[in-house]
């Protein structure tokens, strides 16, 4: 199999693009770097295509390694033929490859092996002989031998049938046909495991008497059934079109061409399927259903995580973080616009203490003392009660302060982590959590990268799937988000820096240490002085590291140092200076290009740089250091509360998508409990999956 041709065909890209990407990946380039700074080489393939490319490249290379192992194994057995080698080389999936290898794979002692040891293989060939003229039982009498544990004709026939059954089971073409037939026409069924459980109301009651065709069952149902089976609530089986399959085996093995042997060969066909093929095919199909469901869930999880991370920051505001609770009290933390903690407090406005007046006096004092602009309220336990109290306070005092509810998923994990302890050694977990509530409003990306992506909780059944694959995919999402935004080299935490292209956890810590010991970076080249940050890592990371107010104006932009000369030449041709970049006067760049009749192509030729790169440079110079999160709707700031009881039929509310699932989307409409918009209501046309329309970020909700 030619990996380059396979990937080019699957992704519908040119061969030269595939060759270029493989070369870049093999040179150690990261996906964000390739997507942003090697567009000429790849034909401007985006990060989504490149991620898929990387996954397929890894899969196909592993497949090739497995092929080599299998070829070596078969050759060592002395059974490798040119035809078999070609068949193995042509296998394009791991399943097909293992089907081909099955007859040669070392097995534990089987019934067929034992039958061969007893000298029954010749009888098996007789059963297959279309010209067999004697009754098989008469022929079997020749093989009766007590010393070989073949006491009678029946035992001899059974052994011969065992040999043929295993041969059919090892037939790669038959297995692939049966797998397709089972996938297309099989039915997945589930029932309550016991009669008692069938009478109980549980989250699995929908699956107590459930069946659906294999190829149509959606991923979320597969994962739900898997969980119910794992928890021993459901019994699950896969029903295949057995009669059709056995008939196909009979036809493929010419079972009925000899009337004398037909009854025996029919028994062989049924035995081969029921005893040897069906159980493994069911396992294969169940595994494939699970893998597809997991991949779909991980994709949704990643999309939700990306949306959460890419929420626009609320910059330049002093925020009061409010971590709600009942018995232990609500924890407060006031954070200035730079993220510095100014003050903390604990109040008890909720049950059982209900000290509303005393609590709001504390809140009022903090707001006035530190000129708080926004209250950032976590959406956990006691959030609704706290929201009502906040709204009443704002209403009664006519305060200009707004409030917003933030997703507090993962806050408890962060608060008890070693990272939080290192960051706030004198704070208890409550103070850390309240601080996180404030900071994740000010800059969600910088705060949420401190938490294991799996703990953010923005997907379905995340604990039921392959954790290695989930972690890898979610880390890729975080990496893509961080690099899209870029980081300030002088303020970014090690938690944020470690996701930058080319930067490891160790290098990220070294950057922070270097900064603390030597002061702020004044230009990008200083990064090369950081221990373990060599030329290759610098090439990968430099464009994503911003240095504001430094010696070089372009250091504050996403223009890569390797393109500085071309960027400066383009600026000069357009009549701009580096000082214009600092002051933002280059925002008129497009107008100047139009006035001077200059094009991207012309500038790229004059600067001797690719058009894709020049287009990116010009886009960046128009808005130096532009944050891509600016294009996303900001969180809805509120000054009043709306409860579920206030909702009336016919109301139209606007909300923010919090979580997307296979059958719809959960939307925050300000009533504490997110509303579910079913997939059938997402658009005025057929929607295959909510992700197809979710990119709008907001929905109008009709009640």
């Amino acid at each position: 199999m030619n990996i380059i041709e396979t990937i080019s065909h699957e992704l519908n890209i040119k061969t030269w693009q595939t060759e270029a990407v493989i070369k870049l990946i093999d040179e150690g380039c990261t996906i964000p770097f390739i997507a942003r700074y090697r567009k000429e080489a790849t034909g401007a393939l985006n990060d989504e295509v490149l991620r898929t490319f990387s996954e397929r490249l890894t899969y196909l290379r592993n497949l090739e390694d497995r092929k080599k192992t299998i070829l070596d194994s078969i050759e060592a057995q002395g059974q490798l033929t040119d035809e078999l080698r070609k068949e193995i080389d042509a296998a394009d999936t791991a399943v097909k490859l293992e089907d081909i290898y099955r007859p040669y794979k070392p097995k534990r002692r089987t019934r067929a092996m034992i039958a061969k040891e007893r000298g029954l293989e010749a009888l098996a060939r007789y059963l297959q002989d279309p010209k067999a003229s004697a009754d098989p039982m008469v022929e079997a009498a020749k093989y009766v031998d007590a010393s070989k544990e073949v006491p009678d004709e029946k035992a001899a026939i059974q052994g011969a049938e065992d040999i043929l059954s295993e041969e059919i089971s090892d037939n790669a073409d038959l297995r692939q046909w049966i797998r397709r037939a089972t996938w297309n026409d099989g039915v997945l069924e589930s029932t309550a495991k016991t009669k008692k459980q069938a009478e109980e109301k549980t989250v699995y009651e929908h699956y107590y008497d459930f069946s659906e065709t294999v190829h149509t069952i959606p991923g979320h149902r597969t994962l739900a059934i898997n969980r119910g089976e794992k928890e021993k609530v459901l019994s699950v089986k896969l029903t295949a079109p057995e009669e059709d399959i056995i008939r196909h085996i009979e036809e493929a093995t010419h079972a009925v061409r000899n009337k004398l042997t037909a009854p025996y060969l029919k028994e062989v066909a049924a035995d081969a399927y029921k005893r040897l093929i069906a159980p493994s095919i069911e396992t294969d199909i169940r595994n494939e259903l699970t893998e597809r469901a997991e991949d779909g869930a991980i994709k949704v999880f990643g999309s939700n995580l990306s949306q959460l991370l890419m929420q626009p920051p609320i910059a330049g505001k002093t925020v009061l973080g409010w971590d709600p609770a009942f018995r232990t009290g609500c924890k407060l933390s006031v954070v200035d616009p730079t993220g510095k903690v100014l003050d903390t407090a604990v109040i008890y406005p909720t049950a059982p203490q209900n000290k509303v007046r005393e609590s709001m006096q504390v809140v009022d004092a903090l707001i006035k003392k530190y000129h708080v602009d926004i209250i950032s309220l976590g959406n956990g336990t006691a959030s609704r009660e706290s929201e009502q109290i906040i709204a009443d306070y704002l209403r009664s005092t006519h305060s200009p302060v707004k409030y917003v509810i933030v997703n507090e998923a993962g806050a408890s994990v962060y608060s008890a982590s070693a990272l939080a302890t290192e960051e706030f050694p004198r704070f208890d977990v409550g103070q850390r959590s309240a601080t996180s509530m404030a900071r994740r409003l000010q800059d969600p990306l910088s705060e949420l990268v401190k938490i294991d992506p799996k703990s953010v909780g923005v997907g379905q059944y995340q604990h039921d799937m392959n954790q290695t694959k989930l972690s890898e995919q979610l880390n890729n999402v975080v990496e893509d988000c961080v690099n899209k935004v870029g980081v300030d080299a002088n303020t970014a935490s090690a938690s944020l820096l470690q996701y930058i292209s080319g930067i490891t956890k160790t290098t990220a810590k070294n950057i922070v240490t270097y900064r603390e010991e030597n002061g702020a970076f004044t230009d990008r080249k200083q990064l090369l002085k950081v221990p373990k940050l060599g030329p290759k890592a610098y090439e990968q990371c430099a464009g994503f590291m911003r240095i504001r107010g430094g010696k070089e104006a372009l250091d504050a932009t996403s223009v890569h140092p390797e393109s500085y000369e071309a960027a400066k030449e383009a600026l000069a041709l357009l009549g701009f200076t580096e000082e214009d970049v600092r002051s933002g006067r280059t925002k008129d760049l497009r107008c100047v290009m139009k006035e001077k009749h200059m094009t991207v192509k012309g500038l790229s030729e004059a600067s001797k740089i690719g058009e894709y790169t020049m287009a990116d440079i010009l886009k960046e110079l128009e808005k130096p250091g532009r944050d891509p999160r600016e294009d996303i709707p900001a969180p809805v700031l509120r000054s009043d509360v709306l409860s579920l009881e206030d909702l009336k039929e016919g109301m139209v509310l606007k909300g923010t998508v919090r979580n997307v699932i296979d059958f719809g989307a959960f939307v925050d409409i300000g009533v504490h409990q997110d509303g579910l918009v079913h997939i059938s209501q997402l658009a005025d046309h057929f929607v295959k999956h909510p992700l197809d329309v979710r990119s709008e970020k907001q929905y109008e909700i009709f009640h």
Side-chain angles (χ1 to χ4, degrees):
M1 181 179 63
N2 187 308
I3 289 179
I4 292 174
E5 288 180 3
T6 300
I7 293 178
S8 300
H9 175 72
E10 289 180 353
L11 300 184
N12 194 27
I13 58 179
K14 304 293 184 184
T15 301
W16 64 266
Q17 291 177 293
T18 302
E19 291 172 341
V21 176
I22 290 176
K23 184 173 183 291
L24 289 166
I25 289 174
D26 288 345
E27 289 174 353
C29 297
T30 68
I31 297 303
F33 176 80
I34 296 171
R36 181 65 179 81
Y37 297 111
R38 290 296 178 262
K39 290 182 178 179
E40 265 71 36
T42 69
L45 297 178
N46 62 38
D47 52 2
E48 187 175 346
V49 172
L50 289 168
R51 286 289 180 200
T52 303
F53 187 112
S54 179
E55 289 169 13
R56 287 299 291 157
L57 180 62
T58 300
Y59 176 88
L60 294 173
R61 281 180 165 174
N62 289 339
L63 188 64
E64 290 302 302
D65 289 342
R66 178 62 177 157
K67 286 179 183 179
K68 187 177 184 305
T69 300
I70 287 173
L71 286 168
D72 290 344
S73 173
I74 298 175
E75 189 169 31
Q77 297 170 36
Q79 300 190 65
L80 184 61
T81 64
D82 289 342
E83 185 180 348
L84 183 56
R85 182 186 292 275
K86 287 178 182 177
E87 196 176 355
I88 289 171
D89 285 339
D92 57 358
T93 68
V95 171
K96 285 183 182 178
L97 182 60
E98 296 304 325
D99 279 347
I100 297 168
Y101 182 43
R102 189 179 183 87
Y104 311 96
K105 192 173 185 178
K107 301 182 180 81
R108 63 180 179 217
R109 205 154 170 258
T110 65
R111 283 164 49 171
M113 288 178 185
I114 294 169
K116 287 178 181 179
E117 291 168 3
R118 292 172 178 170
L120 297 172
E121 189 165 7
L123 180 57
R125 299 300 155 236
Y126 182 82
L127 292 178
Q128 287 181 313
D129 188 353
K131 297 178 181 179
S133 56
D135 187 302
M137 276 297 181
V138 174
E139 184 69 19
K142 299 175 184 178
Y143 298 89
V144 175
D145 186 341
S147 66
K148 292 183 178 179
E149 297 183 59
V150 185
D152 52 34
E153 293 86 344
K154 186 177 180 182
I157 290 289
Q158 181 63 61
E161 288 181 348
D162 287 342
I163 292 171
L164 296 177
S165 291
E166 185 170 288
E167 289 175 354
I168 290 172
S169 172
D170 286 344
N171 185 301
D173 290 337
L174 268 177
R175 292 185 73 87
Q176 288 168 26
W177 187 94
I178 293 167
R179 188 178 286 107
R180 283 196 301 272
T182 305
W183 180 268
N184 292 330
D185 301 316
V187 175
L188 190 69
E189 301 175 352
S190 67
T191 56
K193 201 165 185 68
T194 66
K195 187 176 180 180
K196 181 181 178 182
Q197 286 172 322
E199 298 171 353
E200 295 175 353
K201 295 283 187 182
T202 72
V203 293
Y204 302 111
E205 59 186 289
H206 176 66
Y207 300 104
Y208 286 170
D209 184 18
F210 172 85
S211 67
E212 187 164 357
T213 51
V214 168
H215 72 278
T216 62
I217 188 167
H220 66 275
R221 285 209 274 273
T222 297
L223 295 175
I225 289 170
N226 286 355
R227 179 185 283 183
E229 183 179 35
K230 186 178 179 181
E231 294 178 5
K232 302 188 185 307
V233 177
L234 301 176
S235 290
V236 184
K237 68 175 181 177
L238 194 159
T239 302
E242 186 176 291
E243 291 182 7
D244 292 342
I245 290 171
I246 293 175
R247 190 181 306 114
H248 179 80
I249 295 173
E250 290 173 357
E251 291 172 356
T253 56
H254 309 291
V256 296
R257 63 184 170 180
N258 186 318
K259 290 182 180 180
L260 289 173
T261 59
Y264 301 96
L265 293 180
K266 283 187 174 184
E267 286 181 7
V268 167
D271 176 62
Y273 175 67
K274 294 178 182 178
R275 180 170 63 88
L276 299 175
I277 300 176
S280 62
I281 292 292
E282 178 170 358
T283 300
D284 288 348
I285 296 289
R286 291 287 306 276
N287 287 342
E288 185 170 354
L289 282 172
T290 299
E291 188 173 342
R292 290 190 180 199
E294 287 181 351
D295 288 346
I298 289 172
K299 181 182 178 183
V300 172
F301 202 135
S303 179
N304 289 332
L305 177 62
S306 177
Q307 180 180 319
L308 193 60
L309 294 174
M310 293 297 284
Q311 289 180 100
I314 302 293
K317 302 292 183 182
T318 299
V319 179
L320 187 153
W322 183 309
D323 181 21
F326 285 116
R327 183 181 57 80
T328 57
C330 300
K331 289 77 178 177
L332 308 179
S333 178
V334 181
V335 178
D336 77 3
T338 68
K340 179 183 177 182
V341 179
L342 302 176
D343 207 341
T344 64
V346 181
I347 57 176
Y348 301 89
T350 53
Q353 291 90 345
N354 294 315
K355 297 179 179 179
V356 177
R357 182 181 299 175
E358 298 92 325
S359 297
M360 298 325 293
Q361 287 175 348
V362 173
V363 172
D364 187 65
L366 290 172
I367 288 174
K368 290 177 178 176
K369 181 177 180 180
Y370 299 108
H371 307 290
V372 170
D373 300 297
I374 305 169
I375 297 173
S376 180
L377 172 65
N379 67 342
T381 304
S383 174
R384 184 172 184 177
E385 291 76 8
S386 296
E387 183 184 9
Q388 185 67 61
I389 291 165
I390 291 169
D392 289 344
Y393 162 77
L394 296 178
R395 191 184 302 112
S396 64
T397 59
H398 304 290
S399 173
V401 173
K402 304 290 184 181
Y403 77 88
V404 65
I405 298 175
V406 296
N407 188 334
E408 68 175 44
S412 59
V413 175
Y414 161 73
S415 301
S417 69
L419 178 61
T421 302
E422 182 181 340
E423 194 173 6
F424 301 110
R426 298 181 181 178
F427 282 12
D428 60 29
V429 292
Q431 291 171 303
R432 294 171 189 159
S433 184
T435 301
S436 182
M437 292 306 101
R439 286 180 166 183
R440 61 178 60 192
L441 178 67
Q442 291 177 320
D443 191 344
L445 182 60
S446 296
E447 190 64 21
L448 291 172
V449 293
K450 300 174 184 176
I451 305 166
D452 182 343
K454 290 187 292 186
S455 299
V456 177
V458 287
Q460 287 179 286
Y461 307 104
Q462 59 262 39
H463 303 298
D464 298 331
M465 58 189 67
N466 184 309
Q467 294 301 297
T468 301
K469 185 188 289 187
L470 177 63
S471 295
E472 182 181 336
Q473 296 287 349
L474 295 184
N475 282 328
N476 287 343
V477 169
V478 179
E479 182 183 31
D480 287 341
C481 290
V482 171
N483 286 283
K484 278 178 184 175
V485 173
V487 301
D488 188 323
N490 287 317
T491 61
S493 66
S495 301
L496 192 60
L497 288 167
Q498 71 182 19
Y499 286 104
I500 286 293
S501 171
I503 301 297
T504 64
K505 286 186 178 182
T506 300
T507 313
K509 289 179 180 178
N510 290 346
I511 291 171
V512 174
T513 301
Y514 182 91
R515 203 168 62 198
E516 291 171 349
E517 293 175 352
N518 299 280
F521 291 102
T522 56
D523 65 58
R524 279 172 168 164
K525 289 181 181 177
Q526 279 183 282
L527 290 167
L528 287 165
K529 296 180 180 180
V530 174
K532 296 189 177 181
L533 202 162
K536 186 64 180 180
Y538 176 76
E539 176 194 53
Q540 298 293 302
C541 77
F544 303 107
M545 304 276 270
R546 313 278 191 268
I547 296 174
R548 308 183 198 286
K551 299 174 184 176
E552 170 61 66
L554 295 176
D555 280 352
T557 73
S558 66
V559 177
H560 196 282
E562 66 188 11
S563 300
Y564 279 4
E565 187 177 336
K568 290 175 181 178
E569 191 168 340
L571 283 169
L573 288 170
L574 293 169
F576 290 107
T577 65
E578 289 182 55
E579 188 54 41
D580 291 330
V581 177
R582 294 181 192 278
S583 64
R585 284 193 289 272
T586 49
K587 67 179 185 297
D588 299 323
L589 184 145
R590 295 286 171 180
C591 295
V592 173
M593 283 179 65
K594 194 172 181 180
E595 289 171 4
K596 295 192 173 188
H597 305 289
M598 290 185 175
T599 63
V600 173
K601 183 177 181 180
L603 287 170
S604 71
E605 289 173 350
S607 304
K608 297 178 182 177
I609 199 168
E611 279 189 59
Y612 289 123
T613 302
M614 179 53 69
D616 283 343
I617 289 172
L618 295 174
K619 185 178 180 182
E620 181 63 19
L621 292 177
E622 278 186 285
K623 292 184 177 180
R626 173 183 169 275
D627 190 330
R629 294 173 293 179
E630 294 172 4
D631 298 333
I632 300 169
V636 180
L637 301 180
R638 306 182 185 280
S639 58
D640 201 356
V641 67
L642 186 69
S643 68
L644 280 169
E645 290 73 24
D646 293 329
L647 298 177
K648 306 296 181 187
E649 187 174 348
M651 277 186 175
V652 179
L653 304 171
K654 186 166 285 189
T656 302
V657 177
R658 292 291 186 197
N659 198 355
V660 174
I661 50 179
D662 286 347
F663 50 84
F666 286 102
V667 183
D668 173 21
I669 54 173
V671 295
H672 176 64
Q673 188 171 349
D674 291 346
L676 171 64
V677 184
H678 191 266
I679 189 170
S680 62
Q681 302 298 315
L682 290 179
D684 56 3
H685 57 272
F686 175 75
V687 176
K688 187 174 182 180
H689 194 281
L691 287 180
D692 297 338
V693 294
R694 200 270 299 145
S695 58
E696 297 168 10
K697 300 294 188 297
Q698 290 188 330
Y699 293 114
E700 287 188 339
I701 313 300
F702 295 83
H703 293 271

